[in-house]
């Protein structure tokens, strides 16, 4: 960052002479150190995974959930500044309510992506505000009977307000590894989205998060998994049930070569949450 | 509170009234809307060849009853919203969405408006006709068929007895012609010609029946 | 301070004679009305309406019923309109009165339920589900708020259910004025005249209601619905019946018909006075 200290990085709404908005770029820095977050589409839904670093031993295991629900059929997770994410989710909920009240049906995920990105983009325009310090992965599936098309959608929204649709995407600290793994998975010859079940996608996401955590091995973490699928959750966004969760975590551990006894604490999570 | 007469009392002085017979019926291939063509101010017929069937989108139409001014204003607003919807989301709005917009407008302005509407359209997703009734207060009712307006009171029994689900196009037109014919016969505020709009997967078709066609069925 | 000279008081009539309001188009009163009719008219009457809702508590829950009809004046216009609505896991709200306002209430309740579930599914931090008492208090506030704005929701509501933590039956009423009360048996509209006497015969106090069996309560409700169908011109034979029990949850049947009516005696009733044939 050669232009640091030239004064052009102090405010939104002022470009540097070479056409950059530094505040927004700094916001992306906040994301790069955030917890690894993964989203993956499957044949009838989407799956989310978050690596939650245990910052403090006093935190209650299994509580302090990070994945949130925007509308019944839209899940959301983000890395970066958590409170920024919570605020954005609240805005998303307002948009969902608004849409439902005017059009008499739930908001399609693509419409939600438009509205959220407009909102985030507005925070790059004025010097009285700072940009959102998060990259947000959200998605879901809207059933035909609710006015949708039964097709899963997945998006990632960046601090500058740009929002793209993905088959699978990752953000946060372990994004390099995770994205490489997703690419390897999706581009492999045997891979076919039309056959990838939600359960298989959960396995993949769990494995990828464990793999991405390898670079950050010294820190303990909890894995959070949620899904929104026609077959598994009837189109609702929900946390994955205990059995599916445990199985995915077991397989993920053996995939990255972690003996079962090495780790402790993770499995307790669901039990404690009851 | 006598349903139909309150409609008229609610009109402002000198206001034009669609003291109407309107209906919409789902059938095997879609939905058909039908209406008489009389508009009156008190006892005088202000327009004897009115078109009470109004386009909201190519595949969504509505039948209007109550104040002509109110229902035209409301229909125009909904038409605008649906056009905007189409541009924004790059797809046609559902019939449900159109009905929901119309309902919100009538419900939230119930004290200013006298509008009794029927929304009907062809649902492209399910390949089916849909009918929603929105009476005075602004409630929303999904129905296999709906009748409304002052003339409808005379044909509740007839329609209830003779309506069948999944009729053919010809059967449905026949059913509607008979129903509206009776409504026009007994209701002084209904008359003129019978207009119909047929909405199917193949688009829309307009029909018209003159007094000599329907009076002696 | 009001700087309008008309508000400062004026010379006494006894001394100076009556004030001439024609001067400077002075108003006759000190109050000012903006609209021509002096009042801002909001919902002044219901249009499409549902009739009575009735409910009674029993040992381990509540039984509630309402017919499936929406009337348009005396026209029985819409059949198959459900007026009992499940909210959360252990609550049923019964709504009588204006149907457009009922539908408005339903979108509000749906929103309430969704907001409660956002961060509240079975695994998350704050495991607290909607209780009937929460829903009632919310609705009662809403109804009072709307009437205070001179724009009431033209309904009478009965909130019934069981508290999922204590297992205690819950039954309470609120109407368009914001008036609320609780009782072992509650009814709205015609039901408060015709059904309440029958239901009070079953249980006149909380103590007696706590002794009632489900069968007794159900029979009381069914008999009351029959009487209402006999004597309420805006009622229908077809109705919905919900049982909310602390052990078995909500059992909801939206297609019950009035049964065992007695009409045969009509044969023996001829003429009206002294006529005997």
């Amino acid at each position: 960052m050669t232009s640091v200290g030239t004064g052009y990085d102090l405010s939104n709404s002022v470009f540097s002479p070479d056409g950059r908005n530094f505040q927004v770029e700094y916001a992306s820095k906040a994301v790069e150190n955030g917890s690894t977050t993964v989203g993956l589409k499957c044949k009838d839904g989407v799956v989310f995974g978050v690596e939650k670093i245990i910052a403090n031993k006093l935190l209650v295991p299994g509580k302090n959930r990070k994945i949130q629900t925007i509308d019944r059929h839209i899940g959301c997770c983000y890395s970066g500044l958590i409170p920024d994410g919570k605020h954005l989710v609240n805005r998303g909920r307002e948009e969902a309510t608004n849409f439902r009240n005017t059009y008499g049906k739930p908001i399609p995920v693509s419409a939600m992506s438009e509205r959220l990105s407009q909102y985030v983009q507005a925070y790059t325009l004025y010097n009285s505000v700072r940009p959102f310090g998060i990259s947000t992965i959200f998605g879901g599936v809207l059933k035909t009977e609710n006015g949708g098309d039964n097709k899963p959608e997945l998006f990632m929204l960046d601090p500058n307000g740009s929002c793209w649709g993905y088959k699978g995407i990752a953000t946060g600290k372990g994004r390099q590894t995770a994205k490489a793994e997703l690419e390897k998975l999706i581009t492999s010859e045997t891979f076919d989205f039309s056959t990838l079940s939600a359960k298989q996608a959960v396995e993949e996401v769990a494995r990828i998060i464990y793999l991405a955590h390898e670079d950050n091995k010294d820190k303990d973490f909890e894995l959070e998994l949620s899904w929104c699928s026609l077959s598994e959750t009837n189109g609702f966004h929900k946390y994955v049930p205990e059995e599916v969760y445990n199985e995915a975590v077991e397989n993920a551990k053996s995939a990255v070569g972690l003996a079962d006894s090495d780790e402790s604490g993770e499995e307790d999570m669901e039990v404690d949450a009851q | 509170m006598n349903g139909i007469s309150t409609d008229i009392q609610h009109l402002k002085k000198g206001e034009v009234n669609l003291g109407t017979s309107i209906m919409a019926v789902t059938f095997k291939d879609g939905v058909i809307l039908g209406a008489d063509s009389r508009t009156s101010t008190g006892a005088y017929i202000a327009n004897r060849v009115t078109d009470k069937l109004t386009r909201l989108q190519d595949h969504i139409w509505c039948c209007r009853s109550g104040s002509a001014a109110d229902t035209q204003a409301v229909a125009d607003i909904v038409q605008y919203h649906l056009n905007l919807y189409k541009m924004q989301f790059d797809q046609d709005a559902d019939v449900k969405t159109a009905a929901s917009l119309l309902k919100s407008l009538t419900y939230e302005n119930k004290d200013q408006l006298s509008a009794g509407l029927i929304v009907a359209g062809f649902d492209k997703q399910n390949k089916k006709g849909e009918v929603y009734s929105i009476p005075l207060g602004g409630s929303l009712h999904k129905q296999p068929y709906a009748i409304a307006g002052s003339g409808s009171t005379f044909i509740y029994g007839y329609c209830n007895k003779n309506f069948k689900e999944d009729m053919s196009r010809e059967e449905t037109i026949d059913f509607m012609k008979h129903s509206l014919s009776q409504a026009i016969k007994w209701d002084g505020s209904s008359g003129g010609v019978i207009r119909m709009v047929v909405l199917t997967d193949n688009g829309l078709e307009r029909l018209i029946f003159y007094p000599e066609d329907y009076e002696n069925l | 301070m009001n700087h309008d000279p008309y508000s400062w008081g004026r010379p006494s009539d006894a001394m100076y004679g009556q004030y001439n309001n024609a001067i400077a188009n002075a108003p006759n009163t000190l109050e000012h009305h903006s609209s021509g009719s002096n009042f801002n008219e909001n919902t002044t009457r219901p249009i499409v309406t549902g009739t009575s809702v009735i409910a009674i508590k029993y040992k381990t829950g509540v039984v509630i019923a309402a017919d499936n009809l929406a009337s348009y004046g005396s026209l029985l216009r819409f059949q198959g309109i459900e007026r009992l609505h499940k909210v959360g896991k252990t609550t049923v709200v019964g709504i009588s009165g204006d149907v457009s306002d009922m539908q408005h209430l339903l979108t509000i309740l749906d929103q309430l339920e969704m907001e409660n579930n956002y961060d509240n599914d079975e695994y998350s931090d704050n495991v607290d589900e909607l209780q009937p008492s929460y829903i009632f208090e919310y609705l009662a506030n809403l109804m009072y708020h709307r009437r205070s704005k001179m724009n009431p929701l033209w309904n009478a509501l009965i909130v019934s259910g069981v508290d999922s933590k204590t297992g205690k039956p819950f039954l309470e009423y609120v109407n368009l004025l914001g008036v609320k009360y609780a009782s072992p048996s509650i009814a709205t509209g015609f039901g408060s005249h015709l059904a309440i006497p029958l239901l009070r015969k079953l249980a006149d106090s909380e103590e007696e209601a706590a002794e009632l069996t489900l069968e007794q309560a159900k029979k009381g409700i069914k008999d009351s619905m029959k009487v209402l169908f006999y004597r309420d011109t805006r009622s229908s034979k077809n109705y919905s019946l919900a049982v909310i029990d602390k052990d078995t949850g909500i059992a909801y049947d939206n297609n019950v018909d009035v049964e065992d009516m007695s009409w045969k005696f009509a044969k023996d009733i001829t003429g009206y006075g002294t006529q005997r044939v």
Side-chain angles (χ1 to χ4, degrees), chain A residues 99 101-105 111 144 147-149, chain B residues 85 88-89 91 94 96-97 100-101 104 125:
Chain A
F99 190 99
N101 288 342
T102 38
Y103 297 120
K105 65 173 194 184
T144 40
D149 54 8
Chain B
Y85 183 102
Q88 256 190 352
F89 304 121
Q91 62 183 43
D94 309 336
K96 169 96 186 288
T97 296
S100 174
L101 284 164
S104 302
Q125 197 104 46

Side-chain angles (χ1 to χ4, degrees), chain B residues 1 3-4 6-7 10 103 107 110-111 133 135-141 143 147-148 156, chain C residues 41-48 72-75 77-78 81 98-101 103-104 153:
Chain B
M1 198 204 36
I4 301 306
T6 44
D7 274 17
H10 201 273
K103 178 216 69 183
Y107 179 71
K110 60 161 81 182
D111 308 309
S133 180
L136 235 46
S139 51
L140 180 63
H141 306 269
Q143 295 181 300
I147 54 178
Y156 267 86
Chain C
E41 279 184 39
N42 278 308
T43 310
T44 47
R45 65 201 167 111
I47 310 269
V48 180
Y72 185 75
S74 64
L75 177 64
R77 188 160 174 181
F78 300 106
I81 303 297
D98 190 273
V99 171
S100 66
D101 287 338
Q103 290 179 344
H104 177 67
L153 291 168

Side-chain angles (χ1 to χ4, degrees), chain C residues 164-269:
Chain C
S164 64
K165 286 175 190 151
T166 63
K168 259 180 73 178
F170 181 92
L171 185 59
E172 220 162 320
Y173 165 102
V174 63
N175 67 10
L176 70 163
L177 301 172
V179 171
K180 51 179 181 168
Y181 62 83
S183 172
S185 57
I186 296 182
T188 70
F190 249 73
S192 59
H193 298 97
L194 297 177
I196 286 297
L198 299 171
L199 297 174
R200 287 205 181 145
K201 218 147 64 176
L202 279 180
D204 207 7
S205 63
E206 292 287 347
E207 291 72 34
E208 283 173 43
E211 295 300 312
L212 269 189
T213 66
L214 171 61
E215 286 65 36
Q216 285 172 308
K218 231 174 167 174
K219 184 171 183 306
I221 291 291
K222 285 186 166 185
D223 287 346
S224 302
M225 288 308 283
K226 182 161 68 184
V227 172
L228 281 166
F229 180 58
Y230 281 150
R231 315 266 30 160
D232 180 1
T233 54
R234 308 289 192 259
S235 70
S236 80
K237 197 176 190 175
N238 186 250
Y239 65 95
S240 301
L241 183 85
V243 178
I244 309 98
D245 188 275
K246 79 177 166 76
D247 304 316
T248 56
I250 297 177
Y252 178 45
D253 186 350
N254 65 3
N255 188 21
V256 189
D257 277 322
V258 170
E259 285 170 350
D260 302 323
M261 283 193 284
S262 112
W263 287 109
K264 290 287 150 59
F265 69 97
K267 188 164 62 67
D268 305 322
I269 296 173

Side-chain angles (χ1 to χ4, degrees), chain B residues 3-208:
Chain B
I4 301 306
S5 65
T6 44
D7 274 17
I8 294 159
Q9 283 163 15
H10 201 273
L11 286 175
K12 289 117 214 150
K13 204 177 165 191
E15 196 173 9
V16 179
N17 181 39
L18 298 172
T20 305
S21 303
I22 51 173
M23 69 192 300
V25 185
T26 59
F27 73 111
K28 186 162 57 69
D29 308 322
V31 64
I32 307 183
L33 300 88
D36 73 313
S37 70
R38 180 168 292 184
T39 303
S40 42
T41 349
Y44 177 68
I45 298 168
N47 184 354
R48 64 191 182 98
V49 288
T50 321
D51 183 11
K52 300 176 190 178
L53 305 178
T54 304
R55 195 200 86 115
L56 299 175
Q57 294 282 281
D58 282 340
H59 64 297
I60 307 171
W61 286 60
C62 72
C63 317
R64 301 179 291 114
S65 81
S67 150
D70 287 355
T71 52
Q72 284 175 9
V74 167
D76 288 351
I77 293 169
V78 170
Q79 193 179 27
Y80 158 80
H81 277 293
L82 293 176
N83 288 340
L84 192 68
Y85 183 102
K86 195 173 174 180
M87 284 192 277
Q88 256 190 352
F89 304 121
D90 205 24
Q91 62 183 43
D92 285 312
D94 309 336
V95 189
K96 169 96 186 288
T97 296
S100 174
L101 284 164
L102 214 43
K103 178 216 69 183
S104 302
L105 285 168
T106 46
Y107 179 71
E108 273 149 34
N109 303 291
K110 60 161 81 182
D111 308 309
Q112 288 46 271
L113 297 175
S114 54
L117 297 145
I118 298 173
V119 187
F122 185 78
D123 188 276
K124 295 186 171 177
Q125 197 104 46
N126 303 315
K127 304 273 173 221
K128 271 191 160 162
E130 280 184 5
V131 168
Y132 294 88
S133 180
I134 304 172
L136 235 46
S139 51
L140 180 63
H141 306 269
K142 188 169 195 262
Q143 295 181 300
Y145 77 94
I147 54 178
S150 55
S152 69
T153 42
F154 304 100
I155 54 169
Y156 267 86
Y158 179 84
C159 292
N160 186 245
K161 266 288 176 206
N162 292 98
F163 171 79
K164 294 187 295 292
E165 303 238 349
D166 297 325
M167 288 188 285
S168 72
R169 190 191 117 103
E170 270 57 47
E171 272 181 292
T172 313
I173 292 172
D174 210 47
F175 164 66
M176 292 175 70
K177 231 196 296 184
H178 275 95
S179 307
L180 291 170
S181 163
Q182 285 307 118
I184 287 169
K185 183 169 182 178
W186 300 107
D187 180 28
S189 305
S190 304
V193 299
I194 293 176
R195 295 184 191 278
M196 288 188 195
V197 165
V198 186
L199 263 25
T200 61
D201 210 3
N202 304 318
L204 77 96
E205 182 188 0
R206 261 193 185 276
L207 302 172
I208 185 164

Side-chain angles (χ1 to χ4, degrees), chain A residues 5-18:
Chain A
T6 55
Y8 290 107
D9 62 341
L10 296 178
S11 166
N12 257 329
S13 83
V14 177
F15 275 120
S16 80
D18 45 346

